[in-house]
Amino acid sequence: MLKGKFSFVVKEDEVSIKIYKEVKDFLIYHNLKECNNKPDYIIVIGGDGTVLSAFRKYLDIVNDVKFITIHTGHLGFYTDYQVKNYKNIFEDILNRAPQVESYPLLAVEAYCTQGNMLTKNYALNEITFNNSMGSTYVAEVYINDEHFENFRGDGICISTPTGSTAYNKSLGGAVIHPKMDIFQVTEIAALNNLVYRTLGNPVILSKDEVLTIKPKNQVNNNRLSIDQSYYSNESLSKIKITLSKTKKISFLRYNNVSFWKRVKRSFIGE
Ligand code: NAP
């Protein structure tokens, strides 16, 4: 039986709230404690968007907690149970040993023109750059401190392997197995001419590499998005992105649904 303290993050819809009440009653009946302060397990009931919110809420203690997920959203890349089988969670918590799957996160450090740090943060899906006023976003792109390209276009998306099925996929990026310690850079509608020339393909970087974006501030209204949240700052001058060396997210898995089965189920059909 799972021992420890539980907390919940629940999407505000009828189905998710109903399941939440049932699971909560089950925990109380079995003397398992609900605790929002320092839980050991976070039960997420909702979609992948709800998992992003739960990750953000517990980011400070993400290495110390495990996420258990019941899917009531549309796709369910992070989620383990579905509405049709969620009642199995009761038997599983009491009698079965789960698998633990840990996935990489992006670490981002954003600096202002004066050199001070705007944010040190982490992303579960992706980080995107664009121009909040709708005109093109202009930036120099460096890989490991070497100049790589001058970008001009709608924006740049940098995704984790688990984020590869989200925004990255809409941009033509590769779908990446989430056990791989790599991250991906995809262009959002790049202009290509004699001044601004980009590779034109998604780029995959290894866990030891650093991507640096230097926005051209005369033309940009910088918008930096980290999963569901964003920062707008005109004096943003340098953003360093790498795979986090200190943080990972871990999920408890009771259902043996392979990543490729999830991909097929969501995008191709059974
Ligand atoms: P939203 O616009 O309400 O929903 C975005 C959709 O993306 C939802 O259907 C969500 O699934 C799905 N999703 C989230 N993470 C996913 C993942 N890792 N793999 C596959 N699908 C995933 O926004 P939100 O719920 O706040 O989620 C924010 C995410 O939206 C961003 O991180 C970004 O990846 C994505 N996004 C995509 C585009 C695009 O494809 N053009 C543009 C902007 C943002 P559920 O229904 O299960 O929650």
Side-chain angles (χ1 to χ4, degrees):
M1 175 161 133
L2 274 190
K3 291 221 164 59
K5 292 169 280 174
F6 291 75
S7 181
F8 288 89
V9 176
V10 183
K11 190 172 175 180
E12 290 198 359
D13 64 39
E14 210 177 310
V15 176
S16 305
I17 291 168
K18 176 183 164 287
I19 294 175
Y20 160 65
K21 286 181 180 157
E22 272 183 59
V23 179
K24 193 176 157 143
D25 286 348
F26 162 83
L27 294 181
I28 293 170
Y29 183 78
H30 289 280
N31 270 331
L32 293 165
K33 287 198 185 81
E34 189 183 351
C35 163
N36 292 324
N37 188 15
K38 277 197 173 172
D40 302 291
Y41 305 102
I42 321 289
I43 301 182
V44 184
I45 306 171
D48 287 326
T50 322
V51 176
L52 292 176
S53 311
F55 161 71
R56 187 75 32 216
K57 183 170 177 188
Y58 291 101
L59 177 57
D60 288 348
I61 54 167
V62 72
N63 287 339
D64 305 322
V65 295
K66 307 257 180 316
F67 292 81
I68 305 171
T69 50
I70 300 175
H71 165 56
T72 61
H74 297 113
L75 293 176
F77 272 91
Y78 292 109
T79 44
D80 194 24
Y81 295 93
Q82 295 180 279
V83 172
K84 65 180 180 202
N85 72 350
Y86 79 89
K87 287 190 191 234
N88 294 347
I89 197 174
F90 304 130
E91 171 72 13
D92 291 345
I93 284 182
L94 292 179
N95 296 321
R96 290 184 59 208
Q99 304 277 330
V100 180
E101 285 186 6
S102 299
Y103 304 140
L105 302 170
L106 286 173
V108 55
E109 289 178 9
Y111 297 90
C112 295
T113 323
Q114 298 79 8
N116 50 319
M117 198 185 271
L118 174 69
T119 179
K120 181 177 163 72
N121 217 316
Y122 297 86
L124 175 55
N125 263 358
E126 75 282 289
I127 291 160
T128 55
F129 298 93
N130 56 30
N131 194 324
S132 63
M133 299 303 278
S135 46
T136 52
Y137 181 79
V138 182
E140 291 175 353
V141 177
Y142 292 77
I143 297 177
N144 304 327
D145 288 334
E146 282 177 2
H147 180 264
F148 185 67
E149 61 188 16
N150 290 330
F151 180 88
R152 181 170 196 139
D154 282 6
I156 303 171
C157 172
I158 298 102
S159 57
T160 61
T162 48
S164 71
T165 49
Y167 197 1
N168 167 75
K169 185 175 178 299
S170 306
L171 300 169
V175 171
I176 291 179
H177 195 287
K179 284 192 179 162
M180 296 179 83
D181 279 334
I182 53 182
F183 62 110
Q184 183 167 191
V185 186
T186 38
E187 300 174 356
I188 310 173
L191 274 171
N192 264 300
N193 52 37
L194 288 179
V195 184
Y196 296 97
R197 182 143 298 276
T198 57
L199 183 67
N201 299 95
V203 172
I204 293 176
L205 300 183
S206 76
K207 67 178 181 354
D208 299 317
E209 292 185 294
V210 183
L211 180 82
T212 305
I213 308 284
K214 293 186 181 173
K216 197 167 180 190
N217 286 329
Q218 295 90 320
V219 285
N220 288 334
N221 287 284
N222 284 301
R223 190 176 140 119
L224 161 66
S225 306
I226 303 178
D227 295 334
Q228 297 159 318
S229 38
Y230 65 88
Y231 299 82
S232 290
N233 192 306
E234 274 164 37
S235 70
L236 200 59
S237 68
K238 184 168 87 170
I239 306 99
K240 290 178 83 166
I241 298 162
T242 187
L243 271 198
S244 173
K245 295 199 170 20
T246 55
K247 287 184 193 281
K248 279 207 165 197
I249 186 167
S250 298
F251 291 86
L252 290 193
R253 299 280 188 215
Y254 286 99
N255 294 291
N256 193 15
V257 182
S258 75
F259 174 71
W260 297 116
K261 184 157 186 173
R262 285 167 206 263
V263 172
K264 181 174 177 191
R265 196 169 64 190
S266 302
F267 297 115
I268 302 171
E270 298 287 356

